[in-house]
Amino acid sequence: MAQTPVFVMNTAPERQSGRKAQVSNITAAKTVADVIRTCLGPKAMLKMILDPMGGILLTNDGNAILREIDVAHPAAKNMIELSRTQDEECGDGTTSVIILAGEILAQSLAQLERDIHPVVIISAFNKALTTALQIVNQISKPIDTTNDEEMLALIKTSIGTKFVVRWSDLMCRLALQAVRTVATSESGHTIVDIKRYARVEKVPGGEIEQSEVLRGVMINKDITHPQMRRLIKNPRVILLDCPLEYKKGESQTNMEFSKEEDWKRAQEIEEEQVKRMCDQLVELKPDVVITEKGISDLAQHVLLKANISCIRRVRKTDNNRIALAVGATIVNRVEDIRESDVGTGCGLFKVEKIGDEYFTFLTECASPKACTILLRGPSKDILNEIDRNLADAMSVARNVVFNPQLVPGGGAVEMAVSVGLNEKAKTVKGVENGPFRAVADAMEVIPRTLVQNCGGNAMRVLTELRSIEALTGQAVFVVWVFRIVIMVY
């Protein structure tokens, strides 16, 4: 007897429109901003997040926190996407941009309640943005990117509020050295690709002070045969993107043999092909052969007799970095290898065991355009947080190379912009005046949050700042803002 079918009706969420949708979007964005508000400043608190797999995330990085938050509201998703974009483009300031965006949206709610059309509000916001950029350009000063002292002091400001502040000098040197290593010039344009060519290797154990930037590449691989050399000075390196084994059929290969001799001959043909490839490699007299594919036992035997060390199944990204470090060219076919493809820029090849794993080092390179940052620390969680902080420091160093301008921090820029916008608002006529002043008020959220996170009296400090603004010019005001915020710290 057939059972009565059961129908499950999925009711769609209530559709919102008009003022109700606007208020809902602003509330969602404000909620996201409030989640990470306590993560701003030198006295910021860390967030401990438990992921679905049981891992622990301990960080005060805004983007790292928002990545782990699962939200359904479209406006909240847009805020998280804003944080991700800020992280990709600038590398730092993910917490500040979310807090600032949330406050501007909160200030716009009062303008909507005055029945000002959203188009007018957006127009006023764009004018405020143009004015704010002009103010920032006025108070900025140039910085010499070749001056180590200035660069280290600038990078230090980006990690002064992070977990690694205790080791800020070390981390700043690591970030600056890594950025300068991977910086290249092509057709007059400077390229600094830290994500591709400055790889961070985290090895638990040891002390954080043992972290260093290697003049070369380090990969988590061991040689294929235990009798191969593990220490070679000034090695000749060949990089391959092809297997050193008999080529198998693409999908399915059937072979029928009627005689035993035919089977033996087929085996011999395979061996001859592998030996021929190895002989072609041996002719170039390499010391190290690295391939992204496999190496058969026969190939290992032949290369071992020629005193050549081999590493197999290297990742494509690692192989590209090795090529830039040692000056080699990755070859797709053994038959195409030429003397010019052999890398000779490496000073030392060695394989070491760190902890329970083997690592291959190609260091002391003459002019490496790629590097590896070796991070040591007591645990994986701490290393992950150090990695995030170091990525921010490297991003700041990279940005300064492209735009060598410096503005004061600690909420000074935001207060200067707020003062400038209030002055400019006197010339803005009509209904756009209200939204224009709302942006000026929203800018105060950064120094207010800094003071609150430091345990200070936000009303008292902001009142002092406004009184200074009434007595002094903008340039002097920025200096006084900077001093007061430091005093609160």
Side-chain angles (χ1 to χ4, degrees):
M1 178 179 176
Q3 295 181 349
T4 306
V6 178
F7 294 95
V8 179
M9 303 297 292
N10 291 325
T11 56
E14 180 185 356
R15 179 167 179 165
Q16 296 177 338
S17 61
R19 179 62 53 81
K20 190 175 182 180
Q22 293 170 345
V23 174
S24 175
N25 291 338
I26 292 174
T27 304
K30 193 76 166 57
T31 303
V32 173
D34 290 338
V35 168
I36 61 172
R37 186 181 297 275
T38 56
C39 296
L40 184 69
K43 304 295 184 183
M45 292 185 290
L46 300 176
K47 299 286 186 184
M48 182 181 291
I49 300 175
L50 186 68
D51 64 24
M53 302 301 294
I56 295 175
L57 177 68
L58 190 65
T59 182
N60 65 348
D61 184 80
N63 183 54
I65 295 170
L66 294 179
R67 273 202 313 261
E68 301 295 329
I69 297 178
D70 186 20
V71 297
H73 198 284
K77 287 183 178 179
N78 271 337
M79 293 289 283
I80 294 174
E81 188 69 15
L82 172 64
S83 173
R84 187 189 66 80
T85 304
Q86 174 77 7
D87 185 66
E88 288 183 356
E89 292 295 323
C90 302
D92 197 13
T94 53
T95 304
S96 302
V97 73
I98 293 298
I99 295 174
L100 200 54
E103 184 66 18
I104 290 176
L105 285 173
Q107 292 286 345
S108 66
L109 182 59
Q111 309 304 318
L112 291 172
E113 291 174 349
R114 292 171 54 195
D115 290 331
I116 300 178
H117 197 278
V119 173
V120 177
I121 296 176
I122 295 300
S123 176
F125 283 0
N126 285 329
K127 291 181 179 179
L129 172 62
T130 302
T131 305
L133 292 175
Q134 294 173 352
I135 295 171
V136 171
N137 287 329
Q138 290 172 5
I139 64 177
S140 64
K141 68 173 186 177
I143 186 169
D144 184 9
T145 56
T146 60
N147 188 324
D148 289 356
E149 186 177 348
E150 286 188 12
M151 289 293 291
L152 291 173
L154 184 147
I155 298 171
K156 191 174 182 179
T157 62
S158 68
I159 58 177
T161 63
K162 308 288 185 181
F163 172 79
V164 295
V165 65
R166 287 178 54 192
W167 306 277
S168 58
D169 292 337
L170 171 64
M171 294 301 154
C172 291
R173 287 197 303 272
L174 295 180
L176 182 59
Q177 186 178 347
V179 168
R180 285 180 173 173
T181 300
V182 302
T184 57
S185 296
E186 293 182 6
S187 303
H189 297 284
T190 302
I191 300 175
V192 185
D193 196 342
I194 55 178
K195 288 189 176 181
R196 184 179 300 178
Y197 301 131
R199 182 175 178 82
V200 177
E201 287 286 351
K202 296 168 284 189
V203 182
E207 299 179 354
I208 295 177
E209 289 79 4
Q210 295 175 329
S211 302
E212 60 178 330
V213 176
L214 304 175
R215 285 186 58 82
V217 178
M218 163 186 157
I219 56 177
N220 189 2
K221 289 287 181 181
D222 190 14
I223 51 179
T224 58
H225 195 284
Q227 294 183 1
M228 291 178 176
R229 289 184 292 173
R230 295 178 180 268
L231 180 64
I232 306 173
K233 291 186 177 180
N234 299 318
R236 290 169 56 85
V237 182
I238 288 181
L239 304 180
L240 300 175
D241 187 16
C242 60
L244 292 178
E245 54 191 2
Y246 184 73
K247 187 175 181 181
K248 302 177 179 61
E250 291 292 335
S251 55
Q252 185 176 0
T253 304
N254 294 324
M255 299 176 67
E256 294 184 4
F257 299 99
S258 58
K259 298 179 182 179
E260 183 180 355
E261 291 78 8
D262 295 341
W263 167 251
K264 290 182 180 180
R265 181 56 188 156
Q267 296 288 92
E268 291 173 359
I269 291 174
E270 291 185 11
E271 294 180 2
E272 289 171 2
Q273 182 179 2
V274 173
K275 286 181 180 179
R276 186 171 63 253
M277 287 192 294
C278 294
D279 290 340
Q280 291 171 337
L281 288 175
V282 172
E283 287 178 2
L284 293 168
K285 298 180 180 179
D287 296 300
V288 179
V289 173
I290 300 174
T291 179
E292 300 174 24
K293 304 294 192 300
I295 300 178
S296 67
D297 293 341
L298 177 61
Q300 292 180 44
H301 176 74
V302 175
L303 295 175
L304 175 62
K305 281 191 171 183
N307 203 20
I308 300 173
S309 299
C310 302
I311 298 175
R312 61 184 171 189
R313 307 201 186 282
V314 175
R315 284 181 292 191
K316 183 70 176 178
T317 54
D318 289 338
N319 216 18
N320 289 333
R321 290 189 299 114
I322 294 173
L324 287 174
V326 304
T329 303
I330 301 175
V331 183
N332 296 312
R333 294 174 68 242
V334 175
E335 295 81 0
D336 298 337
I337 299 179
R338 301 292 181 266
E339 177 63 30
S340 58
D341 298 328
V342 181
T344 57
C346 179
L348 180 65
F349 167 85
K350 64 178 179 179
V351 179
E352 287 187 359
K353 186 177 183 181
I354 303 178
D356 297 330
E357 299 184 31
Y358 285 93
F359 292 88
T360 297
F361 295 82
L362 293 112
T363 56
E364 300 180 12
C365 298
S367 58
K369 295 303 178 185
C371 67
T372 297
I373 305 168
L374 175 60
L375 292 183
R376 305 300 305 276
S379 68
K380 288 184 178 180
D381 293 331
I382 291 179
L383 283 176
N384 289 335
E385 179 64 7
I386 293 175
D387 183 16
R388 285 187 286 267
N389 299 161
L390 183 62
D392 290 348
M394 287 192 294
S395 298
V396 169
R398 177 200 62 191
N399 295 340
V400 174
V401 171
F402 294 135
N403 187 15
Q405 295 289 326
L406 176 65
V407 292
V413 173
E414 288 79 6
M415 283 302 295
V417 171
S418 178
V419 172
L421 291 178
N422 278 321
E423 288 294 324
K424 181 70 173 178
K426 297 176 182 178
T427 63
V428 178
K429 305 298 182 182
V431 293
E432 288 187 351
N433 184 274
F436 197 93
R437 289 185 180 275
V439 177
D441 295 337
M443 286 293 172
E444 293 185 357
V445 70
I446 299 296
R448 186 192 315 130
T449 304
L450 288 172
V451 175
Q452 289 173 345
N453 289 348
C454 294
N457 188 329
M459 293 298 297
R460 177 177 62 83
V461 175
L462 289 178
T463 302
E464 290 181 14
L465 296 181
R466 294 192 187 100
S467 64
I468 294 172
E469 171 252 326
L471 297 174
T472 61
Q474 185 170 287
V476 179
F477 170 65
V478 169
V479 176
W480 273 100
V481 171
F482 193 58
R483 289 178 181 174
I484 290 179
V485 175
I486 290 177
M487 177 186 67
V488 174
Y489 286 2

